[in-house]
Amino acid sequence: MNHSTQEAMGLDPDTLRDELFELWNRKDLQTLSLVALQGFSKLPEPLEALLTILEGCPGRQKGRSHTLGYHILMEFQKWLKENPQVNLSSFAAEQALALQQRALSLLIDTQPSFVDSLLNIYELNSLDPSILRLHIMRLQALNCYKEAAVLSVKLKLQEELNMEEMCVPLILQDKLPLAESFVTGHNHLEKQLVTLLDSWCHPDFSVGEISKQFPLLSLSKHCTSQIQPKMLTKHVLRLAEKFKIDQGLCPNALHKRRLDSLRFLMYKRFVEKTMTEENWSDHVQYVVAGDLELQIHLVEMLVKYSGLQKASQWSLRYSVPRNRLPCGVWETQQSLQPDLQQIGQSDSSQTEEWVPSQSHCQKFYQVPLTKDKVHFVDTPEALQRCRGIVLKEGGIVGVDMEWQPTFGCISTQQVALIQLAVSSQVFLLDLCASGFCQHPETLSFIRDLFSARNVLKLGYGMSGDLKCLVATWHQLLVEPLKMDGMLDLLGIHQKIMRGKAHRTQNGPRSGVLVGEDSAEKGLSLLVQQVLGRPLDKTEQMSNWEKRPLRISQIRYAVADAYCLLDVYSALSSNPANFGLPADLRSISLSQSEKSKDQKRKEKQDKQMKQALGKEECQGAQRASPPRSDTEKGLLCGEKPSEDSPPLPPQQLRVVCDNMLQGLGRYLRCLGVDVVMLENNDDHRVAAKLAQAEGRVILTCGQPFQSLRSQVGEGRCLSLDCSEKARDQAVRVLKHFNIQPTPSDIFSRCQACNSDQYVAVPREDMARMLKQKGLLEEQITDQTLQESHQQEEEKLGDILTPGVTPELPRYALQCRWAPLSGLDPNTLTFPGGAPIQLHAVPPGLLPRIPLFYVCTRCGKVFWEGSHFGRVLSMFQEVLHITDEDTESAAGPSTSAQQN
């Protein structure tokens, strides 16, 4: 064909693609853009040619922003703006349909710009819904569930598709947000999703049965671990509120949340003993309500925590059927005197004194006001008097709010009481008073208060208060509050704490910040640090909607607001003593954000959690008895003397409270023998394990006191809950003078604490995967043989039958079992654990010569990059020799978790 004939026919699409591909390989994107724009104008049929080019582009599948196809499509979008005459209308209907179907076949990815561009250029929304639906079904058949969902939302096909078929695979893959976006805006689909998730909250639900419906779907242990009642309950109630769905449609989730709340109340009242009988009784009645099963649970728990008499009284209150009563309750009912058959309600609101006991005054912060200086505001007239005092120019007001605890059954509560403290008096705005909250003057006053520039409003963590204000007055959604003259002392407190941490690390501790090891937190801790005594938080979880309020409730509410004035006054009078600038108002919440170091540590924590995995196997291997007097003393919790030699991590055996599971994973990673309590375990389990196995308890918060009393001094270590898990681990290692080495890293299974592995060569792993039907056809024996030959020079004969494989650096710190102990038919270990083959990506086989499998839980590990990450995170406590440094610089030999 001569040159003039070729010009007349236009530029060949394949020629343009090849030219662009060459520029792409040279990374000359600027020239690529110019050539593309010029080339599009020379194409005989640009819309048809574009499809030909995209279909032939390498890497076009998944349409990522760094592929050639993506760049070409973006350049074509620019070209179209200059050439609007190029569109489908110039084609016959049959030709246009053919182009649309070709374009549709390219939509197998979720890159938004790529998808949107093809949708717009080829007007795919105009296609017959049956054609679009067929394409979505094709994507699902290819296991492209995410891509199918994204495309169906963009094409507005939700009504044409089955919600469960679309959403269940997404949820199983831990992509619930995508399932949410699929149903959002379609009321009946929203209800179906919430109802589906609620059905999964039933105790008899099995994720295994659901996953059988999708046999080709590969599920990680992390994904399936997210499908458990606690997490699902949280999502169900959140979605019910988001979609404004009646909670009656989610009975399982609501029952689970109320049952957990009941357990929490039992713990607060009978274990911690931090809740008054009256508060406990109010909350129990709210949580149990008219649910017979919960009423029965209440009686059963009372038998365990309190005894038969109280259990009998509550069983009588709810008329629990005799055949559902625990043993002994019916008999106790019959023996109760008439005056004990009902639970008495003491009216302490009339008998309490305003001034508390002397011991209370010595222990807690006290408001320097008499009762007559506390004013209830529950009418428009009283509000006017309050307005005149509170909104004075140049005034300072302490602001706090109280609302009824609902224990997560309702995510956002309405405010019941607003406390406004000024220098000599406190006003309590009673929003539960009849008609007061709805009166227009009340909301008007709130708007004026928060927007008054010349009135300084003090609060502590006010974001939660403001959220509840919006729930109380929905008008604030339409016209939000204007905020001016606000100072959140939370920001100042965070700055103080950061300065305190810095001084602790770099010099002598300040004598100002008392209560360093206190169990107090939040505002109470700030009050203790600045004013010397904490707040009494006993009434914090009161029923704030019940009237009349008790004296102790009023006293608590007044103190919560008035203490803000005293704290601000003390800080303002001597800011330098607290490490603060002269102008406290210059400290905003934005300045209280995490420092770069904190962000870096968070990133390290996140990486570490990914390295160690997120799930713990049930139970843990019990370590052997102590071998020496030094070790025996350590295992009993005695802190080594400063001049004693460092100890290896194998000589520390601990039990971690369920609030410290992150700490437990770090310690296991470094070779420490760690048993971790499950989320639902009672704290007392820790004491039993410590006593039976000579372990040290690691805990935080309130359980410390009771656990220490059960196991004795030195055998229970309390840690700061606000610290990162990595920092807690360093603190524990330093406390016990433990000095791990690089050889200790990954010497224990991160999932179950076992220290016994079996080495599985690549060929054996491939055979097992084939046996279970998990090996894809493209990974052939020839591929494995080639990989084998490539590795021989580096690894010698580690794959030769009969020769002991070359083991990782932690080989000396753990035990190795023979592969012959594995049942060849069931692929299970003598203890019954199967190898977790489903979690081994077949694509690893060509490049991983040796796998390491825990003989206790079957978890599979392989060489990865996590060793260097752990090394850098814990370098301050690791004992690293020159040999270790050289080894770390070479190929990684750390085990990577599947």
Side-chain angles (χ1 to χ4, degrees), residues 200-203 226-234 256 260:
W200 291 11
C201 294
H202 193 278
Q226 299 303 299
I227 306 172
Q228 43 95 3
K230 186 174 182 178
M231 192 68 71
L232 289 171
T233 296
K234 178 181 176 181
K256 174 73 171 70
D260 289 343

Side-chain angles (χ1 to χ4, degrees), residues 86-100:
V86 178
N87 54 63
L88 283 181
S89 61
S90 60
F91 291 87
E94 190 173 333
Q95 291 177 305
L97 179 60
L99 292 179
Q100 287 179 309

